[in-house]
Amino acid sequence: MESKHEILNLFGENVRKFRRLLNLSQEELAHKADLHRTYIGMIERAEKNITLVNIEKIANALEVEIKDLLKHSDNGNND
Amino acid sequence: MESKHEILNLFGENVRKFRRLLNLSQEELAHKADLHRTYIGMIERAEKNITLVNIEKIANALEVEIKDLLKHSDNGNND
């Protein structure tokens, strides 16, 4: 499922990408971020409009900066 | 009023800073971002946990990138 809000799709794709880079399951990321596993799944599928406080929790758990979760990176076309 | 969530305080301060740089009232920014004036006030005072879709609306209205709204800039101590 994709959101009509491109920013939510982008954010969700990046969460999934960085989570896999760390070899974390959704459940492990959820535990690290103090969120629910189903919530992580919804965020990755862009089904939820995430709040800033939870954005920060996920960025911290993924050991990246928030701006890294908002970057386009599919084609290496920009930084 | 300050939030216990430092990220909300930071975001709110930056919204106010960039809004004033553009010489916009809260009402004018609200109109530009298609949000309510009272909502802009609550965001600037860190009274609300803003969602990603609204973060993007405000960044667009302020003609900055989202990451600019998440930067510490009080003492010119970092980029």
Side-chain angles (χ1 to χ4, degrees):
Chain A
M1 188 198 235
E2 293 237 319
S3 169
K4 64 178 177 167
H5 293 289
E6 179 51 38
I7 189 96
L8 299 184
N9 295 320
L10 175 64
F11 186 84
E13 286 164 16
N14 280 327
V15 169
R16 178 167 287 157
K17 180 183 80 175
F18 285 110
R19 176 174 63 75
R20 289 177 172 167
L21 279 175
L22 290 182
N23 281 313
L24 294 176
S25 66
Q26 288 185 344
E27 189 156 4
E28 288 165 333
L29 174 57
H31 182 76
K32 238 184 134 183
D34 197 25
L35 296 167
H36 285 274
R37 183 189 62 73
T38 51
Y39 184 82
I40 298 292
M42 291 177 81
I43 293 304
E44 291 189 357
R45 294 189 301 276
E47 290 170 10
K48 246 187 128 54
N49 188 3
I50 190 170
T51 60
L52 184 50
V53 167
N54 285 348
I55 289 172
E56 185 180 44
K57 283 185 181 181
I58 290 178
N60 288 342
L62 290 173
E63 301 166 28
V64 297
E65 292 192 65
I66 292 174
K67 66 181 180 189
D68 298 321
L69 297 176
L70 297 169
K71 273 182 193 163
H72 289 277
S73 58
D74 10 12
N75 302 308
N77 51 348
N78 56 12
D79 56 345
Chain B
M1 188 197 233
E2 293 237 321
S3 169
K4 62 177 177 167
H5 293 289
E6 179 51 37
I7 188 94
L8 300 184
N9 294 321
L10 175 64
F11 186 85
E13 286 164 15
N14 280 328
V15 169
R16 178 167 286 156
K17 181 183 79 177
F18 285 110
R19 175 175 63 75
R20 288 178 173 167
L21 280 175
L22 290 182
N23 280 312
L24 294 176
S25 66
Q26 288 185 345
E27 190 155 5
E28 288 165 332
L29 173 58
H31 182 74
K32 240 186 132 182
D34 197 24
L35 297 167
H36 284 275
R37 185 190 60 73
T38 51
Y39 183 82
I40 298 292
M42 291 176 80
I43 293 304
E44 290 189 357
R45 293 190 301 276
E47 290 170 11
K48 248 188 127 52
N49 188 3
I50 190 169
T51 60
L52 184 50
V53 168
N54 284 347
I55 288 172
E56 185 179 44
K57 282 184 180 181
I58 290 178
N60 288 342
L62 290 173
E63 301 166 29
V64 297
E65 293 193 65
I66 292 174
K67 67 181 180 190
D68 297 321
L69 297 177
L70 297 169
K71 273 182 191 161
H72 288 277
S73 59
D74 11 11
N75 302 309
N77 50 349
N78 56 12
D79 64 340

